[in-house]
Amino acid sequence: FLDRRTVVEYIKELESRGIKVITRAKLPLLLTSSLNKQQIVKMFLQGFSEAEISFSTGYSRNFVEMCIEEFLRIGLLYRQGIKPSSIADLTGSSPELVKEQVDIYNYVMGDDKLSQFAHKIFSFYEGPDFLGILKAKEQFLLP
């Protein structure tokens, strides 16, 4: 018979002490294991489209796109030498999600073939061409 806000505060306090609390909101995250995300990233790096990955894995296209975006966003920052705790703060992602994506990144970089694909993709986002596209887009959008 507690107010919802009180329960939320109790959960935050427990989690700050390192105690994991499973709620209905977190259940879908627990059901999608990192191995499935790892497979999605692996297929992406091998050149499969989001539609092909979605069809092959049985996950929605939105979920596949979200997994790929998370991997790229967190992977780019991790490549720059930013600590996972700082990445969580910068991106607003949970520390668990960042750890999961860093683990996937390390798995990818441990595989010779996948790491070649990953380096090509990351170098595009880190390169001056991409920054030029962003700057041009920003100027176009400014009033």
Side-chain angles (χ1 to χ4, degrees), residues 4 7-8 11 15 21-32 37 63 66 94 96:
R4 186 175 188 275
V7 173
V8 169
I11 290 172
E15 288 178 339
V21 179
I22 299 172
T23 63
R24 283 184 293 168
K26 294 179 184 176
L27 194 57
L29 296 174
L30 296 173
L31 296 176
T32 57
K37 290 183 180 182
F63 180 76
M66 180 192 69
S94 71
E96 293 84 11

Side-chain angles (χ1 to χ4, degrees), residues 1-11 24-25:
F1 298 103
L2 294 174
D3 184 70
R4 186 175 188 275
R5 285 176 276 175
T6 305
V7 173
V8 169
E9 291 302 318
Y10 285 163
I11 290 172
R24 283 184 293 168

Side-chain angles (χ1 to χ4, degrees), residues 87-128:
I87 293 172
D89 292 338
L90 287 169
T91 61
S93 302
S94 71
E96 293 84 11
L97 175 65
V98 173
K99 182 189 177 324
E100 178 182 56
Q101 291 300 327
V102 166
D103 289 346
I104 293 172
Y105 176 87
N106 289 330
Y107 163 79
V108 165
M109 292 307 168
D111 183 296
D112 290 336
K113 204 170 201 177
L114 290 177
S115 67
Q116 290 176 357
F117 296 132
H119 283 302
K120 286 180 184 178
I121 290 171
F122 284 126
S123 65
F124 169 76
Y125 289 109
E126 294 168 335

Side-chain angles (χ1 to χ4, degrees), residues 41-88:
V41 169
K42 183 178 177 181
M43 291 177 74
F44 169 71
L45 294 174
Q46 291 171 335
F48 290 91
S49 71
E50 286 91 347
E52 292 170 321
I53 297 169
S54 176
F55 180 77
S56 176
T57 61
Y59 288 108
S60 72
R61 189 167 177 169
N62 287 339
F63 180 76
V64 169
E65 290 171 355
M66 180 192 69
C67 289
I68 294 168
E69 179 194 324
E70 287 171 354
F71 173 74
L72 293 174
R73 183 171 34 118
I74 293 169
L76 279 168
L77 294 171
Y78 187 68
R79 275 174 72 92
Q80 301 300 320
I82 300 173
K83 291 185 253 178
S85 59
S86 299
I87 293 172

